[in-house]
Amino acid sequence: MHLYLYARRRPLPPPPPPQSSMNRPPQESLYLAAASSSSMIGQFLSWTMSLLRCLLLEQPNATGYAVLAIVLWLLYKIASRPINYVKELSSVGFDQTLESGSAGRWKDKSRSELATEMNRLRKVGNMPPAFPNGWFALIESDTLQKGQVKHVAVLGENFAVFRGEGGNVYVLDAYCPHLGANMAVGGCVKGESLECPFHAWRFAGKDGQCIAIPYAEKVPEFAKARQWPSCEVNSFIFVWYHAQNEDPSWKLSPLAQLAPSHWVYRGRSEFYISAHIQEIPENGADVAHLNAIHGPSLLAGGSLNTSGFLAGGSWARHLWTASWAAQTASGETHKAVLSLRHEFRLFSKFALINMDVNAVQIGPGYVELSIDTTFGKAVILQSVTPVGPMLQRVIHRMYAAPSMPAPFATVIMLGEAIMFKRDIMVWNHKKFEDRPLLVREDRAINRYRRWYSQFYSENSLRLGKSPEGLDW
């Protein structure tokens, strides 16, 4: 009777039902969209506050405490889900222009239209070649199932990426050498080969050799699709690109932490950026930008307008110290290392979170960040892939040690995405300075550019030139 009267006296709002994953498609079951996660967490927080008010204002009882425990457990589970934080090109760095020009030339324009117009008017500078030589991530491993083929257009090429029925991954030129059909659009996987949808010519994944023509008595020996060197490692499917078609000069090594049953996948982020690929890893050598852009508190968000109370000012600030160095050992010259120390301090005295990061840049478009924090270890993998000369797709994937609390891993992943958005706001609008005005403390930038130049060759395409002779 007492419990009944208690419930009648102060009814609680019903909790939002937890989202079931039973009917979720396989791909969606891997991720939880950041926006949806934030919305669900907000709803549960609101309901939890109502419950706490009931417990504080009314006589506590075992049922109330049990309900509170269940709610907190559900909150923990939601905060522990891997996130999927995705932003298109026009989503980052154009709001300020849209707002400041709302009464002028940008009036009634969408973000997408504004991004297109701003890129048209922008000065890009004397850019390096569009596509450096090296390994580049085409897609993430868990997006390609057995017997599936995908079309990927990056690096000025069109690739047919497919996984054979035995689980191996192959990359062929998307266009069939017979009559030019795109084999990744409507084509099908047969064993370890790819069948063109136009005339059912079949090409072996291992070497691109045509192995079957259903209406021909004999398959010509010269019938062959271009096969691209590829590898599947560390949750990505990579292709080797070289302007002069040279064979791979180094290999990508698997990380022990990513082995099955070892570290736990904690989420991903994906961004599209209007910049040359060389500008993005240059941030590692540009250590002076860290305290300028990434010093204000995460609470200020991903905008460069980091003033006000939430930015922290003197009461809360991220402090960074870093050093960058190219590797010189034999067989390691394609690597560079950024050693980074991060502290989050209150009132310039109390360090709440310490973080040591060792970021190894491997070639022009792949980075492995090993993170050692107050609450455990993690690794973030970054891939930078040129969709076009001035459009980069950047993906981060995070894995954490089992000892790291899952909500803390989520905070790190979201924090990394927020900080990265601040860089994107600069990249989306900056001009490439081939002869920058530097001071002595910027000398690592020149060292970085000399190191990065090894990934260009004589035939590397520059902005304004294409194989067909047309401007990009």
Side-chain angles (χ1 to χ4, degrees), residues 133-136 227-231 238-242 244-252 334:
N133 304 318
W135 291 102
F136 295 94
Q227 183 265 344
W228 291 80
S230 63
C231 65
F238 293 89
V239 70
W240 173 263
Y241 173 89
H242 197 285
Q244 295 177 232
N245 297 324
E246 293 183 6
D247 292 334
S249 54
W250 76 85
K251 294 182 179 180
L252 296 174
H334 60 283

Side-chain angles (χ1 to χ4, degrees), residues 241-362:
Y241 173 89
H242 197 285
Q244 295 177 232
N245 297 324
E246 293 183 6
D247 292 334
S249 54
W250 76 85
K251 294 182 179 180
L252 296 174
S253 302
L255 290 172
Q257 299 95 315
L258 273 59
S261 74
H262 285 199
W263 286 20
V264 184
Y265 171 71
R266 291 303 185 193
R268 68 186 291 275
S269 65
E270 180 177 355
F271 297 93
Y272 286 84
I273 303 169
S274 178
H276 188 277
I277 182 175
Q278 182 176 314
E279 300 246 53
I280 295 173
E282 185 168 285
N283 258 22
D286 181 15
V287 297
H289 93 284
L290 292 168
N291 286 305
I293 285 185
H294 304 300
S297 168
L298 276 176
L299 297 176
S303 172
L304 292 180
N305 183 20
T306 53
S307 60
F309 178 78
L310 292 180
S314 60
W315 70 269
R317 192 163 181 85
H318 301 275
L319 301 177
W320 309 83
T321 55
S323 63
W324 181 94
Q327 301 301 285
T328 57
S330 177
E332 298 286 310
T333 55
H334 60 283
K335 296 181 181 180
V337 177
L338 170 67
S339 298
L340 186 67
R341 173 72 174 177
H342 164 262
E343 290 184 349
F344 180 62
R345 287 186 171 268
L346 293 179
F347 306 107
S348 301
K349 293 182 179 180
F350 308 104
L352 296 186
I353 299 176
N354 295 321
M355 185 182 301
D356 291 303
V357 180
N358 189 66
V360 182
Q361 173 89 30
I362 306 174

